[in-house]
Amino acid sequence: MTQDLHTEKMVINMGPHHPSTHGVCRLILTLDGENVVECEPVIGYLHRSIEKICENRTYAQCIPLMDRFEYVTSMSCNWVFALATEKLTDLEIPERAEYLRVIMTELNRIASHLLCIGVTGLDLGALTPFLYTFRERELILDLFEMTCGQRLTYNYIRIGGVSQDIPDEFIPKCREFLDIFDEKVDDYEKVLTENPIWMARNKGIGVISKQQVYDFAISGPSARASGVDFDIRRDDPYSVYDRFDYTIPVFEGGDSYDRYRARVQEMRESAKIIGQALDQLPGGDIRAKVRAMFKPKAGEVYSRIENSRGEMGIYLLSDGGKKPVRVRARGASYNHLLIIPEIIKGLKIADLVAIFASLDVILPEIDR
Amino acid sequence: MNPAELTAYITSNFSGQLETVENDQAEPYFIVPLSDLVPFSKFIHDDPQLELNYLMNMAGVDTGEQFEVVLNPCSLVNMQRLFFKVVLDRGDPKFDTVSNLWAAANWYEREIWELYGFEITGHPNLKRFLLPDDWDDGFPLRKGWVGKNVIPLPEK
Amino acid sequence: MELYPIFGWLDGLLEKVGITGPTADLITLVALAAMVFGLLSLIALFLVWWERKISAHIQQRFGPMMAGWHGVLQTVADAVKLIQKEDIVPTLADRKVFFWAPVICFVSAFAAYIVIPFGEGLIVSDLNIGILYIIAITTFTVISLLMAGWGSNNKYALIGGMRSAAQAVSYEIPLVLSILGVVMVAGSMSMVDIVESQSGWGGFRWNIFFQPLGFVIYLIAATAEANRTPFDLPEAEQELVAGFNIEYSGMKFAMFFLAEFVNMFTVSAIATTVFLGGWNGPFLPSWIWFLGKTLAIVFLLMVFRWSFPRLRVDQLMEFAWKVLLPLAFLNILYVGVFAKWLNW
């Protein structure tokens, strides 16, 4: 029997409404049975033209727009825009504000990683860890609500400082959370890390090589899982990150499993940073004096911070007026989605889901 | 290398014409002639002293007077940053692709092509992706763009 | 409690009214079918509620709480809602195939109960090929899933249907082989004979004590047969949205849904009959023992579902052919040698 069976490749439209594309992303898949032959991402379903709108708003009005740029870690988005603007001014940021920024952003990083890990479990059919991670995420969101009244789009970090001081009960509540958090991470690890099915589904899947990290500008935990020891908090320092003692987990495998482990370790490190920041938290002002009609110097700047997904950057061009001339927001997911067609070839449709989840692609960041 | 050394190294080792811009940021800032975009990119990407192998950001800019393309490469090996831009011809905005050096530039350039209408020579896949497929309403990020369906605010 | 006295009583009643012969037989059979159907529907409704409760408690939630005591009436409410739903058939669907798929699924799930002994004497018909009959009839479910996948004219549904066919063919083999070990010991394929061969010895004659490997193989293969996580690939929500039943709504969906839970109860009932001594047990009535053991297995399957991630399709096949199948043969070898030696 040498005669070949006549088979056809099947083109399947995954999304825009699909439970595991984390937003509205459409992937045009060419399948050979269960194997993915080709994958073409189609984005733009969430395009809100934030960059264009920013050009018609004053700098202060841009901050709430940045909340929508990437709504899972709004704190980072606020911060990166504020940071870019502050680089074009001579503002002295009060120390307390810097510490509050660090605390909030690290809490936000934990919340985002909890979402990612829970959703990765969900995408691989493990429905229970999702609820566990959301249990702890809720505690963090409560802290945010206590501070700025919002649970998703915080608009907390402003140009020159933060919008308001933390209430008195914040610090004990936050410490309470940090005390239980390490045990809770152990819980997730018990359910997932050593689970043979979890390992079988994630190990060796979607391997990103070091060279690909450089070429495709992969950043954050996804890059560190591929053995690239790079963290903007340490290598391009901003704010007061040089005052904390923390390690940056680096793994060598580059597969989904290592990306997952990098995230878990990062949560523990973030908790350490928050603990130290709470210890060192100085008193004083929370905001520099910023005039109502704020105007930075003319100039251009690219500022970046380490977001939970990777590098988040703002390119800002100012002509000294009250509105920015050009704002470009750069999100890590943009590059992470770009690499998926490269690493998915020959794998199964179920692996696509695992890779998509482990790279933690969030669509608002891509479409802007 | 600190920014000053980096500037000196690049200006002395690159054969083309470079214009250095003084600024108070942490990275050196160059304006590269349009014709030197690809050679310069290749130089900073491949030079063993620089190895700017990671393209953080690439953006089209319309300052109102001129079209520019801004590139922000950095190195994950020795953690250096660079800032350079090319100024395009306003009448015929066009530049060569750098996506064969930095694969990440693929989508950055696609976005510039789509939203600014700069022509990109040699790009592998110029297809609309942020705007609808049947978009025929100009290039929204250019200054002074008014879409067909834009209703202006009433004058105060 | 036995079925045959009820039959006799019903026959007597009919005779008094003046109905005899084939008509009376027919009425008795219909009454019997209605009884089994009613019982199973109740069990399925209970299982749906129970699964929701178990999953909720595993995930530190409450689950349904509003309808009735701790939400016991929730599934009834859901069923009523599903019955009221509009029946949507996709325009390009193959209407006949699309219509018959849930019917076949439902019927084959229920038909298995003809030979399941709910207790001593509580069996509709003790066929001498009982276990073979069950295996044959439950396989019809696969055909229905394939029909649903094909008839829906949806690519996700098609992949789901194909997956279920591949999966069922693979897992049927270790499943049958693991049961074969028991049949070799019991020397009969009748369900009643199998149960009776396990009575005595103070409960230590259950097959699970002699063939633990067989039991484990059966349990794994049965999880795959019932399409439960970690083997729920035909309806993998995250990859295939819902697999074969993506286009189904209303009552047809309810039929698939109920059939899934009935199937789960079936595989647990077989496990009880074949490995856990069926109705055998001291003090309590036999049907309570049967029900208790079966629900314990169901509980186990539910805990599986809420603690494991899903396997990938090639890993699933590899596991069936490279691990379970050799082990099942090993089990048969072991049973053959020991059955001869110990003269069970």
Side-chain angles (χ1 to χ4, degrees), chain B residues 124-136:
Chain B
N125 183 23
L126 283 181
K127 262 163 72 177
R128 292 204 175 280
F129 69 158
L130 288 176
L131 300 175
D133 286 344
D134 53 354
W135 180 264
D136 61 342

Side-chain angles (χ1 to χ4, degrees), chain A residues 6-168:
Chain A
H6 175 67
T7 56
E8 268 178 36
K9 293 200 174 81
M10 179 157 72
V11 178
I12 195 165
N13 207 1
M14 193 166 166
H17 300 287
H18 190 282
S20 50
T21 52
H22 301 190
V24 275
C25 170
R26 176 172 157 221
L27 300 167
I28 303 173
L29 302 176
T30 312
L31 297 181
D32 179 12
E34 289 261 351
N35 295 327
V36 181
V37 180
E38 233 181 279
C39 164
E40 193 197 342
V42 179
I43 60 170
Y45 293 95
L46 219 60
H47 184 56
R48 292 142 295 162
S49 57
I50 285 179
E51 292 170 358
K52 183 76 182 173
I53 300 173
C54 281
E55 292 174 10
N56 299 309
R57 296 278 186 282
T58 63
Y59 287 88
Q61 285 171 339
C62 286
I63 297 266
L65 280 175
M66 283 300 140
D67 278 331
R68 277 82 186 164
F69 162 43
E70 207 264 74
Y71 43 63
V72 181
T73 51
S74 297
M75 289 289 180
S76 305
C77 310
N78 290 167
W79 196 1
V80 70
F81 189 82
L83 198 66
T85 322
E86 284 155 10
K87 277 191 177 177
L88 293 175
T89 58
D90 307 319
L91 284 176
E92 272 290 314
I93 315 297
E95 280 233 313
R96 187 175 173 82
E98 292 282 22
Y99 275 96
L100 288 180
R101 285 174 173 191
V102 169
I103 292 169
M104 292 304 167
T105 314
E106 292 301 322
L107 279 173
N108 212 178
R109 185 190 315 280
I110 294 177
S112 165
H113 282 341
L114 285 175
L115 176 79
C116 173
I117 289 166
V119 168
T120 312
L122 200 63
D123 279 353
L124 297 186
L127 304 170
T128 302
F130 179 68
L131 272 289
Y132 288 178
T133 56
F134 264 54
R135 183 183 62 198
E136 272 71 66
R137 193 168 182 267
E138 200 67 10
L139 298 175
I140 297 176
L141 296 189
D142 284 346
L143 288 173
F144 288 153
E145 192 180 5
M146 189 189 289
T147 313
C148 61
Q150 287 295 333
R151 295 168 71 84
L152 190 68
T153 49
Y154 311 113
N155 192 14
Y156 179 66
I157 297 176
R158 305 276 177 87
I159 297 162
V162 295
S163 72
Q164 50 222 302
D165 209 345
I166 47 173
D168 292 338

Side-chain angles (χ1 to χ4, degrees), chain C residues 67-90:
Chain C
W69 178 80
H70 281 249
V72 272
L73 297 176
Q74 188 65 48
T75 27
V76 180
D78 285 348
V80 171
K81 182 202 76 176
L82 281 173
I83 291 168
Q84 290 172 341
K85 285 259 171 181
E86 185 192 352
D87 181 33
I88 300 166
V89 181

Side-chain angles (χ1 to χ4, degrees), chain A residues 351-362:
Chain A
D351 293 331
L352 175 66
V353 174
I355 293 170
F356 206 95
S358 76
L359 280 170
D360 201 4
V361 178
I362 293 279

Side-chain angles (χ1 to χ4, degrees), chain C residues 62-140:
Chain C
F62 285 118
M65 287 297 278
M66 305 303 280
W69 178 80
H70 281 249
V72 272
L73 297 176
Q74 188 65 48
T75 27
V76 180
D78 285 348
V80 171
K81 182 202 76 176
L82 281 173
I83 291 168
Q84 290 172 341
K85 285 259 171 181
E86 185 192 352
D87 181 33
I88 300 166
V89 181
T91 325
L92 291 174
D94 192 333
R95 297 186 82 92
K96 276 183 197 155
V97 179
F98 189 79
F99 174 80
W100 283 107
V103 177
I104 291 180
C105 187
F106 200 62
V107 168
S108 66
F110 279 83
Y113 284 86
I114 292 178
V115 294
I116 287 186
F118 286 93
E120 211 164 356
L122 277 177
I123 184 167
V124 178
S125 170
D126 180 21
L127 299 180
N128 55 0
I129 51 156
I131 195 80
L132 189 66
Y133 167 80
I134 286 191
I135 289 161
I137 202 85
T138 46
T139 314
F140 270 94

